[in-house]
Amino acid sequence: MKIDGYTRLAAVVANPIKHSISPFIHNSAFEATNTNGVYLAWEVDATELAETVANIRRYQMYGINLSMPYKEQVIAYLDQLSEEACLIGAVNTIVNREGTLIGYNTDGKGFFKSLPSFKISRKRLVLLGAGGAAKAILAQAILDGVSQISIFVRSSSMEKTRPYLEKIQNATGFRVDLFALEDVQDLQDSITKADLLVNATSVGMDGSSQPIPTSIVLPEKLMVADVIYQPFETPFLKWAKEQGNQSINGLGMLLYQAAEAFELWTGKEMPTDQIWELLKQKYQ
């Protein structure tokens, strides 16, 4: 990697963030595309967020990525928001356009690009969870022309989830159906009619827990996805595969959301096939 007076900087900002594999992805892309850039991981306190954003202009950076807990807090310091960032209410990528800082959220686009030969347009989606990943997937599905969305959360989280879904409906005219995860019959009915089932919760990261009962019957043509990539195959995906369903983990989402950000910054396409092979060797 060449570093000189023309090298431009990008970074991921969060707390904690030292564990991130985003530097591996982006620095591999800079090198593969012969782009004079360097990508770092910055662990930043909340009191330093405004100054960190100001440094994007000060140092003429490409921009930054953001992870928890700053995806919502950072909006106050930006000049513009993309359509999907407005809907989601969170930003994971800031782009420096000659001093104008524009907030994007590439998570939803990254997720759908990670699904082989699948288009969400006019399809039915069942989504487990209502956190940041779920909101990104939900908003992008609506923008991409999904026909129906059922979202399942714990009964204790339903009242907290409703205001966000009302905001989405007011902004887009699209009504999302909300159910309690504990209602197994509603869950089975929705999954039976669905084209795509997504676990957007953290359940399964321990390598043993399941987000839904294994008594659920999956229709043959249903695609099943999990936003988790460690473990590489969660119990949820293993169970779906045993039923004969195509299953996709979250590593592709991580790669393709990064690819979207890389292209926004550099105007170049990330060599995702090449980097995917490197990621599989690292995590499979």
Side-chain angles (χ1 to χ4, degrees):
M1 180 179 290
K2 174 186 174 184
I3 297 177
D4 58 23
Y6 297 96
T7 303
R8 291 187 71 186
L9 188 63
V12 58
V13 173
N15 194 354
I17 198 57
K18 290 177 182 176
H19 63 283
S20 174
I21 64 170
S22 293
F24 175 81
I25 293 173
H26 283 282
N27 286 318
S28 297
F30 281 140
E31 190 168 357
T33 59
N34 197 30
T35 300
N36 194 351
V38 172
Y39 187 102
L40 302 174
W42 287 349
E43 203 159 273
V44 170
D45 290 333
T47 55
E48 300 169 337
L49 183 60
E51 186 176 356
T52 300
V53 174
N55 283 338
I56 300 172
R57 292 191 186 94
R58 184 175 293 133
Y59 301 126
Q60 299 178 4
M61 296 172 63
Y62 283 117
I64 62 173
N65 289 133
L66 296 120
S67 192
M68 298 300 292
Y70 301 135
K71 289 186 174 185
E72 297 176 8
Q73 296 176 30
V74 78
I75 290 174
Y77 308 116
L78 303 180
D79 301 311
Q80 297 175 25
L81 290 180
S82 66
E83 184 180 19
E84 81 284 344
C86 285
L87 277 183
I88 298 163
V91 164
N92 79 335
T93 300
I94 298 173
V95 178
N96 181 8
R97 291 270 184 263
E98 298 180 349
T100 298
L101 301 185
I102 308 168
Y104 294 83
N105 195 310
T106 66
D107 284 334
K109 285 183 179 178
F111 172 77
F112 285 110
K113 282 197 173 183
S114 76
L115 305 182
S117 306
F118 181 89
K119 301 294 181 188
I120 194 62
S121 176
R122 295 187 292 277
K123 300 288 197 337
R124 290 173 174 261
L125 167 64
V126 172
L127 197 53
L128 310 176
K135 288 176 180 177
I137 292 167
L138 183 152
Q140 194 62 50
I142 293 170
L143 292 174
D144 289 348
V146 68
S147 67
Q148 194 267 336
I149 300 175
S150 298
I151 187 165
F152 285 81
V153 298
R154 294 187 184 93
S155 55
S156 58
S157 298
M158 289 188 73
E159 290 309 309
K160 184 174 70 174
T161 304
R162 279 197 179 94
Y164 177 73
L165 299 184
E166 288 170 2
K167 172 194 165 186
I168 288 286
Q169 185 170 351
N170 290 337
T172 66
F174 190 97
R175 181 177 176 273
V176 177
D177 299 315
L178 178 64
F179 299 95
L181 194 55
E182 294 87 347
D183 194 326
V184 178
Q185 190 57 58
D186 280 342
L187 184 61
Q188 180 66 78
D189 291 346
S190 295
I191 288 175
T192 299
K193 300 171 187 172
D195 301 288
L196 176 64
L197 169 63
V198 183
N199 175 36
T201 76
S202 60
V203 178
M205 288 184 74
D206 58 3
S208 60
S209 54
Q210 282 273 15
I212 60 174
T214 55
S215 58
I216 294 289
V217 178
L218 304 179
E220 185 180 346
K221 294 182 180 179
L222 180 74
M223 180 176 283
V224 179
D226 202 323
V227 299
I228 297 169
Y229 61 90
Q230 285 184 289
F232 197 78
E233 184 178 67
T234 60
F236 176 64
L237 293 184
K238 185 178 180 182
W239 165 72
K241 192 179 290 185
E242 287 169 352
Q243 290 206 44
N245 295 87
Q246 186 176 12
S247 59
I248 310 293
N249 74 7
L251 192 59
M253 178 181 180
L254 179 70
L255 173 60
Y256 285 101
Q257 64 80 24
E260 290 288 315
F262 185 83
E263 188 164 353
L264 286 168
W265 289 332
T266 67
K268 297 180 181 180
E269 188 174 337
M270 181 182 281
T272 49
D273 289 347
Q274 178 182 337
I275 296 173
W276 174 250
E277 290 306 316
L278 296 174
L279 286 173
K280 280 204 303 182
Q281 292 170 25
K282 194 174 178 70
Y283 288 100
Q284 191 164 19

